[in-house]
Amino acid sequence: VALQAVGADPDQPAELVDRQKIYHVLTSYCRALDRCDVELMKSVYWEDGYDDHGVFAGNAQEFAAFIIRGIQE
C-alpha cells in the first residue's frame, strides 16, 4: 500500500531483473559470436529452440554450430 501511495510500481524490481536477464542473454550471444564460442552460443538458446535466419532454419543448437563454423571460414 505504501508503494502505491507514492506512485511506485511494485512490479518494477521484477521488471529490472527480467531486463538484466535479457541483457545477459544478448551480451552472451554477442560474446559467443566475437569469440567463436559454440558452447556459449548454444547456452543462449533453449535445447529445443528453433531459429530461422534465412540461410538456416532449424534447431537452434544446430544453428549455433552452423553460425560459428561459418564465421571461422
Side-chain angles (χ1 to χ4, degrees):
V1 177
L3 288 174
Q4 292 171 341
V6 296
D9 182 355
D11 294 327
Q12 186 176 6
E15 180 182 343
L16 293 174
V17 169
D18 292 343
R19 287 178 177 271
Q20 183 60 35
K21 288 179 180 179
I22 292 167
Y23 177 81
H24 176 72
V25 170
L26 290 173
T27 56
S28 293
Y29 180 89
C30 293
R31 183 177 179 90
L33 288 175
D34 288 345
R35 304 283 176 137
C36 292
D37 186 332
V38 174
E39 294 308 311
L40 182 57
M41 179 62 78
K42 288 180 178 181
S43 77
V44 303
Y45 290 100
W46 292 104
E47 287 184 25
D48 62 347
Y50 181 83
D51 198 298
D52 186 345
H53 268 81
V55 296
F56 179 94
N59 178 276
Q61 298 290 308
E62 293 171 10
F63 170 74
F66 169 83
I67 196 65
I68 298 300
R69 186 173 50 249
I71 290 170
Q72 290 174 327
E73 293 176 352

